[in-house]
Amino acid sequence: MATPNTPLWEVFVRSRNGLAHKHVGSLHASDATMALQAARDIYTRRGEGLSIWVVPSTAITASDPAEKGMMFEPAESKIYRHPTFYEVPDEVGHM
Amino acid sequence: MYTQALNTAETDDRGLEDAAKAAQFQARIDAEERIEPNDWTPAAYRKTLTRQISQHAHSEIVGMLPEGNWITRAPTLRRKAALLAKVQDECGHGLYLYAAAETLGTSREALVDAMLAGKAKYSSIFNYPTLTWADIGTIGWLVDGAAIMNQIPLCRCSYGPYARAMIRVCKEESFHQRQGYEIMLTLCRGSDEQKAMAQDALNRWWWPVLMMFGPPDATSQHSDTSTKWKIKRFSNDELRQKFVDATVPQAQYLGLTVPDPGMIQDADGHWRYSEIDWTEFKQVLAGNGPCNRDRLAARRKAHDEGAWVREAAAAYAAKRVQRQTAQAAE
């Protein structure tokens, strides 16, 4: 008999106070409580984290890689959004 | 290595695919870009990687069995705690890898079912028995040592999720190899009987470990496309030679003899090993190794005996959802 599917969760771990939660991987669990426990065992066996988030994978809406041009090009062409676009004479010092 | 069955011929099903897309894909690979789950890829790229990553995952899971065999009989509490942690790591590695394989579009359950049905392969090395405590030392030192040789280049594999899983795995494998070598060192500094036990384990594991790297380059049918797609960065023979060169001095330090009377060091410092018995390798891959049946039976038993846990967890989750829905409706 084929094994029935168990829901997929994405795991985010915050490594130290002050840093953001970072995606570390995914796992399968029947509910949120079990997902948290499994995340503890799978992703923090060596003190990697102080806080864990688990999110059902189905709750994530992702951008389409095929449309990444349209999505991100506007940021690429606006070099005036970067500090190095502006000239400040050396004499002025660090700014 | 953990994916030896890849070295079999596979039908080419790329003929129908968009040549322009394929060229674009190859250009991204050549530019050392990472491929991510939702990106367009040739079907054969997904197929190869699904097989490779799932075989790697199965190897980690089956690999828990030979070592698990000694947890209750570890000689000290320190050794027992270390071995327990190591076996737990192997389970974790299996899970990272299944998660990476799933991003290619096959469910975890389907991958596991294929292994339990005997349709998917795992590394030949785990079909050998662990007869003495020295085998545990030898596995850590040699089997994990060989795995590290193979896995470090995989950290730069073109497929992002696989590369990221490998980075985590490599960080943890280093502890495995060192704990194995420490066991060997303790035995080799012990009584004559203990040293003889260490030598006996090396004698039995040496050749199967060399086989882990897969068939010689001349006969490996899969490497060309894997190299082109930057899944594989070094050939089987290159990795095998690197491993031998790194390992021989470690054996010498232990005062153990590598069971290859024909081995010589060439002018460039490389240790040249004798011909490997590929008939044995093929037999083990075909299911006729010393423990093949035993390993699969153990996995099936664990899976079957865990069925009630999976069912209970699913039933509890369904009940909670039902209750929440009912409360919301009130």
Side-chain angles (χ1 to χ4, degrees), chain B residues 42-92:
Chain B
Y45 179 82
R46 268 171 205 274
K47 197 166 154 190
T48 299
L49 272 170
T50 303
R51 289 176 66 200
Q52 172 159 347
I53 303 172
S54 64
Q55 282 178 29
H56 197 160
H58 301 328
S59 299
E60 300 282 358
I61 299 298
V62 176
M64 292 160 73
L65 296 170
E67 292 183 291
N69 181 33
W70 279 91
I71 290 174
T72 56
R73 291 174 289 160
T76 66
L77 189 58
R78 181 177 182 269
R79 295 285 188 221
K80 185 173 181 163
L83 184 57
L84 199 57
K86 179 177 189 297
V87 173
Q88 195 189 16
D89 274 354
E90 307 297 1
C91 179

Side-chain angles (χ1 to χ4, degrees), chain A residues 19-94:
Chain A
L19 292 183
H21 285 77
K22 191 173 169 236
H23 184 243
V24 292
S26 50
L27 54 82
H28 288 269
S30 300
D31 59 37
T33 312
M34 291 183 78
L36 260 186
Q37 284 172 356
R40 198 264 322 250
D41 290 345
I42 299 172
Y43 293 106
T44 63
R45 286 196 303 284
R46 289 178 173 77
E48 290 93 334
L50 298 175
S51 164
I52 302 176
W53 289 349
V54 289
V55 179
S57 302
T58 50
I60 290 178
T61 308
S63 65
D64 182 355
E67 289 178 5
K68 68 180 170 215
M70 200 164 46
M71 188 89 166
F72 299 110
E73 191 284 329
E76 297 284 324
S77 61
K78 293 176 179 58
I79 50 170
Y80 48 84
R81 283 183 173 164
H82 296 279
T84 46
F85 181 77
Y86 303 94
E87 276 185 33
V88 174
D90 287 347
E91 300 87 71
V92 179
H94 178 74

Side-chain angles (χ1 to χ4, degrees), chain B residues 5-17:
Chain B
L6 284 173
N7 295 293
T8 51
E10 196 180 326
T11 50
D12 196 335
D13 52 6
R14 282 170 294 150
L16 300 170
E17 278 165 355

Side-chain angles (χ1 to χ4, degrees), chain A residues 3 5-6 28 30 45-46 65, chain B residues 89 102 109 113 172 175 313:
Chain A
T3 315
N5 290 4
T6 307
H28 288 269
S30 300
R45 286 196 303 284
R46 289 178 173 77
Chain B
D89 274 354
E102 283 181 284
E109 289 78 3
D113 286 345
E172 298 177 359
F175 136 59

Side-chain angles (χ1 to χ4, degrees), chain B:
Chain B
M1 179 55 65
Y2 285 171
T3 52
Q4 291 146 335
L6 284 173
N7 295 293
T8 51
E10 196 180 326
T11 50
D12 196 335
D13 52 6
R14 282 170 294 150
L16 300 170
E17 278 165 355
D18 188 342
K21 275 185 174 172
Q24 218 171 32
F25 172 79
Q26 189 60 47
R28 289 187 62 197
I29 300 256
D30 294 341
E32 296 285 335
E33 271 184 48
R34 289 285 178 273
I35 306 301
E36 294 297 335
N38 295 327
D39 294 346
W40 186 91
T41 76
Y45 179 82
R46 268 171 205 274
K47 197 166 154 190
T48 299
L49 272 170
T50 303
R51 289 176 66 200
Q52 172 159 347
I53 303 172
S54 64
Q55 282 178 29
H56 197 160
H58 301 328
S59 299
E60 300 282 358
I61 299 298
V62 176
M64 292 160 73
L65 296 170
E67 292 183 291
N69 181 33
W70 279 91
I71 290 174
T72 56
R73 291 174 289 160
T76 66
L77 189 58
R78 181 177 182 269
R79 295 285 188 221
K80 185 173 181 163
L83 184 57
L84 199 57
K86 179 177 189 297
V87 173
Q88 195 189 16
D89 274 354
E90 307 297 1
C91 179
H93 298 175
L95 297 178
Y96 310 150
L97 286 160
Y98 279 128
E102 283 181 284
T103 63
L104 292 156
T106 310
S107 76
R108 165 88 51 103
E109 289 78 3
L111 297 171
V112 171
D113 286 345
M115 190 257 280
L116 296 174
K119 287 186 221 149
K121 301 286 183 197
Y122 55 86
S123 178
S124 58
I125 197 72
F126 302 117
N127 290 313
Y128 290 87
T130 41
L131 303 179
T132 71
W133 174 249
D135 290 35
I136 299 304
T138 311
I139 287 181
W141 170 37
L142 298 182
V143 175
D144 288 277
I148 292 172
M149 274 305 167
N150 181 55
Q151 287 165 346
I152 285 176
L154 283 174
C155 294
R156 294 186 292 127
C157 164
S158 61
Y159 190 57
Y162 194 25
R164 291 192 284 273
M166 280 298 110
I167 291 169
R168 288 188 63 87
V169 168
C170 284
K171 275 188 199 160
E172 298 177 359
E173 291 283 8
S174 168
F175 136 59
H176 299 177
Q177 192 185 17
R178 289 171 64 109
Q179 70 91 34
Y181 196 72
E182 194 195 87
I183 291 173
M184 296 308 274
L185 203 57
T186 307
L187 289 172
C188 290
R189 285 173 178 167
S191 66
D192 289 349
E193 287 87 349
Q194 285 172 318
K195 191 163 181 188
M197 192 195 270
Q199 181 65 55
D200 170 64
L202 176 60
N203 292 349
R204 282 181 291 108
W205 288 92
W206 177 255
W207 292 106
V209 166
L210 293 196
M211 292 173 201
M212 282 176 73
F213 293 92
D217 296 348
T219 62
S220 179
Q221 292 151 327
H222 213 89
S223 295
D224 290 349
T225 39
S226 286
T227 306
K228 191 181 83 181
W229 285 334
K230 302 205 173 167
I231 295 171
K232 203 178 173 122
R233 301 230 175 212
F234 296 97
S235 76
N236 293 352
D237 285 338
E238 283 168 345
L239 289 170
R240 189 165 17 241
Q241 188 61 53
K242 257 177 132 166
F243 171 77
V244 170
D245 289 341
T247 307
V248 170
Q250 294 165 359
Q252 286 170 339
Y253 184 83
L254 292 170
L256 297 177
T257 310
V258 172
D260 180 359
M263 180 177 267
I264 47 156
Q265 193 173 24
D266 69 14
D268 300 328
H270 293 298
W271 289 93
R272 300 295 174 193
Y273 47 90
S274 307
E275 184 70 26
I276 294 171
D277 178 7
W278 294 110
T279 325
E280 176 181 329
F281 174 72
K282 280 179 199 143
Q283 280 298 315
V284 176
L285 263 198
N288 304 317
C291 299
N292 292 59
R293 271 181 290 265
D294 204 47
R295 299 293 185 233
L296 258 190
R299 285 313 311 151
R300 284 180 188 141
K301 182 167 177 274
H303 189 74
D304 292 346
E305 290 180 352
W308 72 269
V309 180
R310 294 189 295 276
E311 283 161 19
Y316 179 69
K319 192 176 79 179
R320 297 246 307 195
V321 170
Q322 217 171 25
R323 193 172 291 166
Q324 277 167 359
T325 320
Q327 275 170 356
E330 274 169 17

